Amino acid sequence: MHNPGILILSAPSGAGKTSLARSLLAAREDAGLTISHTTRPQRPGETAGKDYHFVDHAVFEDMILRDLFVEYAEVFGNYYGTSIASIEAELNAGRNAILDIDWQGARKVRSQYPSAYSVFIMPPSREALEQRLRGRGQDSEGVIERRMQAADSEMSHRNEYHRIIVNDDFHRALRELNDVLDNLESAATYKVANDSGAN
């Protein structure tokens, strides 16, 4: 097997990225999802250390000061971040590290891991995305509008990615992702720019 690499996955909410990532990981032993840190409360059904590392604001901000994150962001009053350790843990175990992050996080990761490969998951259309969000039956009209604005912003950055996969056929999209994972570049050229001070 080749040396493990880093695969960045981004998508607007509702494009099916989480389902694709879960199916990809369930079928492969050579890949692992990096576990993000967050300050948001743990939700019912979530497992600490599996879904997220749940920490308070003071712990998260101390990790920022110590440059322990490759990328982080504040979303609706809560922090989310990918630690350098979570990426290294996967690579050191011989697994490809899968990062589920937005376009801003993807930029930061690419700047520190230039050989990371990035894939943007697109919905079949904007209308299909809106239908999926409404079909969840979880959100108010205001929340849906905000999610669609965020989706438009996210999709406007799709051309920054190495590859765009349109999720109009789940099994075909999954085959394309598997193909990407089979051909990830060697991790030998990865360098973490710990001394750059970039956040």
Side-chain angles (χ1 to χ4, degrees), residues 20 167 169-176:
L20 283 168
N167 186 17
D169 179 310
F170 184 85
H171 295 292
R172 186 176 68 216
L174 186 58
R175 279 199 304 274
E176 288 188 49

Side-chain angles (χ1 to χ4, degrees), residues 8 21 31 43 45-46 49 52 66 83 89 106 135 159 172 179-180 185:
I8 298 167
R43 293 172 183 161
E46 288 183 331
Y52 285 97
R66 292 192 289 143
S83 70
N159 290 329
R172 186 176 68 216
D179 181 59
V180 167
E185 292 181 52

Side-chain angles (χ1 to χ4, degrees), residues 2 5-9 24 28 30 96 98 116-121 162-165 173-185:
H2 59 73
I6 295 174
L7 175 61
I8 298 167
L9 295 180
L24 186 73
R28 304 185 67 124
D30 63 344
N96 296 299
I98 312 294
Y117 193 86
S118 54
V119 173
F120 194 92
I121 309 295
H162 294 101
R163 185 161 173 174
I164 297 170
I165 294 177
L174 186 58
R175 279 199 304 274
E176 288 188 49
L177 268 183
N178 270 298
D179 181 59
V180 167
L181 209 50
D182 286 338
N183 293 287
L184 274 189
E185 292 181 52

Side-chain angles (χ1 to χ4, degrees), residues 54-90:
F54 296 98
V55 297
D56 62 28
H57 276 75
V59 169
F60 199 104
E61 287 167 357
D62 179 62
M63 291 178 72
I64 292 172
L65 290 173
R66 292 192 289 143
D67 279 333
L68 299 183
F69 290 111
V70 66
E71 64 86 28
Y72 70 91
E74 189 174 357
V75 183
F76 301 129
N78 284 305
Y79 284 120
Y80 296 81
T82 305
S83 70
I84 294 167
S86 68
I87 296 174
E88 298 297 334
E90 294 301 327

